[in-house]
Amino acid sequence: MIVPCYNERETIAEFYRRMTGVADRAGTYDFEIIFVNDGSRDDTALRLNELSERDARVKVVHLARNMGHQIAITAGMDFAGGDLVVIIDADLQDPPEEIPGMLAKLEEGFDLVHAQRKRRDGESPFKLATAWLFYKLMRRFSTREIVDNCGDFRAFNSKVLKVVRTFRERHRFMRGIFAIIGFRQCIIQYDRDRRYAGETKYPFRKMLSLAINAVLSFSSSPIRFITWASFTLWGISLIYLIKALLDHFVFKVTVPGWTSIIILMTFYNGIILFSIGIIGSYVGRSFEQSQGRPLYWVGDTRNIDRGEDA
């Protein structure tokens, strides 16, 4: 189990109780639970350390600073050594009790199991609407199909783990990576619960950042948009030029003024700056990737042989 955590002090104990309940009823499976503490500012680290002292199945990776949810998942995969792997958040919106069904699908021969949300309790109409819009846009613009209403709750085998480990881009969208790797995939559906306690760790700002990462990492549509916008604006400019020439030479109604010029300059300058911003985003990502810096750095570990460090 890979469990990214950020300021989850109120949920850790209940998550551990339910997760170990699933593990104890799992029959022949041997479980390890890898908690990745993503630079939490509360006492999440202390509570995780206490669990690791009581239960050898609990392994803890403390990142030296907050690197974000997607990087925390990556760190967990780097330390995972199981034949089967499940990614699940600690907020208990994704029920651990769904895990046996996901493992059963892997035993049937599937390599990757996506958990798709049928119902999403406790989420605002705004969040539901923006999620719907996000997946609609991704279907429209992405070169690969992303599974609708599917977060990071999924299970996969060691073959998939080895492949996904090779993806080391800094701006990560794990759902897209899992969507493009192939293998034999399937979907199970479940009802998502309300957050057990605490506040969401994905406010609008982080959701927007994730959406931008998804679009820029898995689609060149923004670049194509600039191209088509330039053709459109060139056509508009040509029409305006013809109109100006007719007004001056044919209808003799030219009126001195600057309003239309200012409007056009503002409009075109705005488009130019917007286009430069999109291109700059791609260039900036290429620059950051070329620096070759590590995706994360580990501050401490518990119940982990440092030889397992990937």
Side-chain angles (χ1 to χ4, degrees):
M1 304 298 114
I2 296 173
V3 190
C5 304
Y6 178 66
N7 293 346
E8 295 288 0
R9 63 182 302 274
E10 297 173 298
T11 67
I12 290 298
E14 179 64 12
F15 176 86
Y16 171 77
R17 184 188 70 79
R18 289 174 59 178
M19 188 70 256
T20 52
V22 171
D24 292 339
R25 297 188 297 270
T28 58
Y29 291 109
D30 292 325
F31 275 63
E32 68 175 14
I33 308 172
I34 303 178
F35 288 97
V36 182
N37 174 30
D38 187 22
S40 297
R41 297 180 180 180
D42 59 9
D43 62 351
T44 295
L46 177 61
R47 295 179 183 233
L48 292 177
N49 288 343
E50 291 174 351
L51 288 179
S52 69
E53 292 172 0
R54 289 165 26 200
D55 189 343
R57 294 175 298 180
V58 174
K59 301 186 176 186
V60 185
V61 178
H62 296 290
L63 301 187
R65 53 158 291 184
N66 176 252
M67 302 301 296
H69 183 258
Q70 305 293 285
I71 297 293
I73 291 174
T74 302
M77 289 192 297
D78 288 343
F79 282 90
D83 296 319
L84 305 177
V85 181
V86 177
I87 300 172
I88 183 171
D89 288 339
D91 57 14
L92 291 174
Q93 287 187 279
D94 302 325
E97 291 76 16
E98 298 290 336
I99 291 175
M102 301 170 76
L103 298 180
K105 286 293 185 182
L106 294 177
E107 295 291 357
E108 289 178 15
F110 290 101
D111 300 303
L112 174 59
V113 182
H114 303 279
Q116 186 180 52
R117 305 154 181 163
K118 287 192 301 183
R119 185 169 52 85
R120 302 171 64 153
D121 286 347
E123 296 189 356
S124 67
F126 174 76
K127 187 168 185 178
L128 292 174
T130 53
W132 174 85
L133 178 62
F134 167 74
Y135 286 109
K136 186 175 181 63
L137 291 175
M138 287 302 297
R139 285 197 306 272
R140 175 65 180 83
F141 295 117
S142 178
T143 56
R144 300 287 181 174
E145 186 172 346
I146 307 297
V147 181
D148 284 356
N149 276 319
C150 181
D152 293 302
F153 186 25
R154 55 178 43 85
F156 46 94
N157 59 26
S158 58
K159 292 187 298 183
V160 172
L161 175 64
K162 290 177 182 177
V163 171
V164 175
R165 276 176 173 169
T166 64
F167 287 73
R168 307 307 288 184
E169 58 258 42
R170 173 164 297 279
H171 300 277
R172 306 176 72 76
F173 181 61
M174 299 304 301
R175 303 170 205 182
I177 291 175
F178 281 106
I180 68 174
I181 60 174
F183 292 98
R184 191 180 176 200
Q185 306 187 16
C186 71
I187 299 172
I188 66 166
Q189 294 184 322
Y190 74 105
D191 293 328
R192 199 175 199 220
D193 296 332
R194 295 174 178 268
R195 165 176 269 277
Y196 175 75
E199 299 178 351
T200 178
K201 304 309 183 293
Y202 258 100
F204 178 73
R205 175 180 58 82
K206 288 189 176 181
M207 288 193 298
L208 180 61
S209 176
L210 183 66
I212 292 173
N213 280 339
V215 172
L216 296 184
S217 298
F218 291 91
S219 174
S220 59
S221 295
I223 297 294
R224 292 197 299 270
F225 166 78
I226 293 175
T227 303
W228 285 109
S230 65
F231 282 126
T232 301
L233 294 176
W234 179 81
I236 294 173
S237 300
L238 181 61
I239 293 171
Y240 190 82
L241 173 62
I242 294 172
K243 177 185 179 299
L245 292 174
L246 290 175
D247 286 344
H248 182 75
F249 292 106
V250 179
F251 301 109
K252 308 296 184 180
V253 293
T254 305
V255 178
W258 53 269
T259 303
S260 60
I261 296 177
I262 295 299
I263 291 174
L264 289 173
M265 286 181 60
T266 302
F267 177 70
Y268 287 128
N269 286 340
I271 291 294
I272 291 171
L273 292 175
F274 175 71
S275 301
I276 292 174
I278 291 177
I279 296 172
S281 296
Y282 282 100
V283 173
R285 286 162 180 264
S286 299
F287 169 70
E288 291 182 6
Q289 192 68 28
S290 69
Q291 290 177 307
R293 294 175 181 174
L295 296 179
Y296 61 88
W297 36 99
V298 176
D300 191 16
T301 61
R302 297 299 171 96
N303 289 343
I304 290 180
D305 180 1
R306 293 312 292 265
E308 299 176 30
D309 194 346

